[in-house]
Amino acid sequence: MKILFFSSKPYDSLFFEENNKSYDFELEFWETHLGPHIVDAIKPNVYDAVCVFVNDKLTAPVIAALASKGIKIIALRCAGFNNVDIEAVKAHKLRLCRVPAYSPQAVAEHAIALLLTLNRKTHKAYNRTREQNFSLNGLMGFNLYKKTIGVIGTGKIGAAFCKIMLGFGCKVIAFDPFENQDLKSLGVNYLTFDELIKQADVISLHCPLTEENRYLINASKIAIMKPGVVLINTSRGALIHTKDVIEALKEKKIGGLAIDVYEQEEKLFFKDLSGSIIDDDDIQRLISFSNVLVTGHQAFFTQEALNEIATSTLSSVSALYHQQATSNDTILV
Ligand code: NAI
């Protein structure tokens, strides 16, 4: 059994090699993204599985090429699968697994870190005090206590985020087609999407990206939000219409934006581009705002999550390879 990894980083090989001691598969790590540019470089009939991440592009032609190379299993080492053409996977009779929940708390806690940093400007204070500048001008935030926090999507991550916000003494309102009774009993109030965005002081996105909710946050929706609303997105970049958000930041309608995901992130994130000219005016404009905070898809990045990703992925690949039953939530096709 040989697995070829794409978009591999040193921390991937560290956690996968360690967990592979229980399986003894052959693992090969490639740094490049999987996409049309590289799929022909895969040697035929050498690998049984590919293991991919959020920004690998599994389009129909890429999947057809994988099948022609003898690949039988595609293992996503992430939860979201918006980057995979599921129908093509089925058509080529490949199997597809993911890691549905490796650490909801990791992502929820990062969303909180973004919110607290953006609001209380600790990133600016850190830089100032290192320069012996102890002035408070420009560092004022607001209390989260008693503020209304709107949570879009109350699955595993959204639920963890709601519970932390309740602990802060916030009023938590939510929108999700499926209401979570546990959260309701804790005091979370479900509203329609429009009602939520009208009432919320802070809106945090925790739903998957689908064709239906692409650009969920756009100019017409921003228009009905509270002036000064703070937006947090740790889900997927295309949930937000970036140009509309930039306009709303310029008009001061949006009071703060913190994003861990970005629509064009595959060209940027997980790379050190500090010596490069970045040919993406939207990200450059976003970074230029003093009330915008960008992290490079690191919400999942904790020891616990990386360990769980490796454990779950190898277990699913093994089950699929040996045609054993496994959880439906893990096996997509
Ligand atoms: P989940 O499947 O447990 O929950 C998603 C929830 O969103 C479900 O309750 C679903 O009913 C709801 N939903 C679906 N469409 C919706 C819509 N249009 N409006 C409101 N709610 C909607 O997923 P989980 O584990 O909570 O993850 C959520 C998302 O977080 C993932 O899809 C992924 O995009 C993102 N994510 C980001 C990571 C990061 O490192 N930044 C890491 C892991 C996940």
Side-chain angles (χ1 to χ4, degrees):
M1 170 66 165
K2 191 160 183 177
I3 310 174
L4 177 58
F5 287 70
F6 286 90
S7 305
S8 163
K9 301 287 177 203
Y11 44 82
D12 291 313
S13 45
L14 190 71
F15 282 87
F16 272 92
E17 298 282 16
E18 183 59 31
N19 277 277
N20 190 41
K21 287 178 183 162
S22 327
Y23 295 94
D24 212 19
F25 296 145
E26 279 184 79
L27 310 183
E28 189 172 320
F29 297 93
W30 288 12
E31 277 183 37
T32 176
H33 286 152
L34 175 57
H37 67 290
I38 197 73
V39 75
D40 289 337
I42 301 174
K43 286 195 190 127
N45 304 319
V46 172
Y47 308 98
D48 304 283
V50 291
C51 182
V52 296
F53 196 46
V54 285
N55 292 323
D56 291 304
K57 289 262 175 280
L58 289 117
T59 57
V62 169
I63 290 164
L66 291 176
S68 75
K69 306 274 182 180
I71 304 291
K72 295 166 213 70
I73 300 165
I74 300 170
L76 288 159
R77 52 180 191 280
C78 54
F81 49 92
N82 52 291
N83 53 335
V84 184
D85 187 324
I86 301 276
E87 291 312 312
V89 175
K90 288 182 189 161
H92 289 282
K93 298 196 167 38
L94 299 188
R95 302 301 306 274
L96 176 69
C97 60
R98 64 166 180 155
V99 188
Y102 37 87
S103 179
Q105 286 74 23
V107 183
E109 288 174 14
H110 189 75
I112 302 288
L114 289 176
L115 174 57
L116 288 175
T117 308
L118 187 64
N119 176 25
R120 301 306 297 270
K121 304 172 179 66
T122 44
H123 55 315
K124 295 183 185 181
Y126 173 81
N127 285 330
R128 276 191 194 184
T129 54
R130 285 166 67 89
E131 299 285 336
Q132 302 174 33
N133 174 356
F134 301 100
S135 153
L136 299 184
N137 292 335
L139 297 184
M140 198 191 305
F142 59 83
N143 283 7
L144 284 168
Y145 179 65
K146 290 203 165 159
K147 289 292 181 303
T148 301
I149 313 294
V151 182
I152 313 282
T154 53
K156 292 173 281 296
I157 296 169
F161 182 84
C162 286
K163 288 176 187 172
I164 300 172
M165 289 282 75
L166 287 169
F168 272 66
C170 298
K171 178 182 171 192
V172 181
I173 55 177
F175 169 72
D176 191 308
F178 301 97
E179 298 186 358
N180 177 327
Q181 295 309 319
D182 173 39
L183 290 180
K184 282 173 88 165
S185 69
L186 292 171
V188 173
N189 189 16
Y190 279 89
L191 301 175
T192 62
F193 179 77
D194 282 4
E195 203 47 53
L196 178 145
I197 63 171
K198 272 183 209 164
Q199 292 186 20
D201 299 300
V202 173
I203 298 172
S204 193
L205 302 179
H206 298 290
C207 58
L209 173 67
T210 62
E211 275 317 308
E212 293 72 49
N213 68 15
R214 181 173 292 269
Y215 303 140
L216 187 67
I217 305 296
N218 57 44
S220 68
K221 296 301 176 188
I222 294 167
I224 59 172
M225 291 177 189
K226 276 188 174 174
V229 63
V230 172
L231 289 183
I232 312 287
N233 187 9
T234 55
S235 275
R236 284 294 178 265
L239 289 169
I240 283 182
H241 191 290
T242 307
K243 287 192 192 305
D244 288 356
V245 166
I246 289 172
E247 280 311 305
L249 282 159
K250 281 157 72 176
E251 290 161 9
K252 303 191 178 72
K253 174 72 195 246
I254 292 179
L257 171 75
I259 54 172
D260 185 51
V261 285
Y262 172 63
E263 191 174 2
Q264 311 296 339
E265 70 177 52
E266 72 269 14
K267 293 183 210 146
L268 307 169
F269 287 7
F270 309 115
K271 295 175 194 158
D272 178 359
L273 301 177
S274 51
S276 309
I277 304 293
I278 293 180
D279 182 21
D280 180 330
D281 293 350
D282 287 345
I283 195 78
Q284 296 293 44
R285 187 67 182 100
L286 283 175
I287 291 168
S288 76
F289 289 106
S290 63
N291 56 348
V292 172
L293 186 60
V294 179
T295 54
H297 211 131
Q298 72 172 79
F300 73 100
F301 200 53
T302 65
Q303 294 166 11
E304 292 80 358
L306 287 178
N307 194 46
E308 182 54 33
I309 287 169
T311 310
S312 167
T313 304
L314 292 175
S315 160
S316 299
V317 169
S318 175
L320 287 176
Y321 188 65
H322 295 110
Q323 301 189 344
Q324 294 160 341
T326 180
S327 128
N328 285 342
D329 208 19
T330 305
I331 307 303
L332 293 166
V333 178

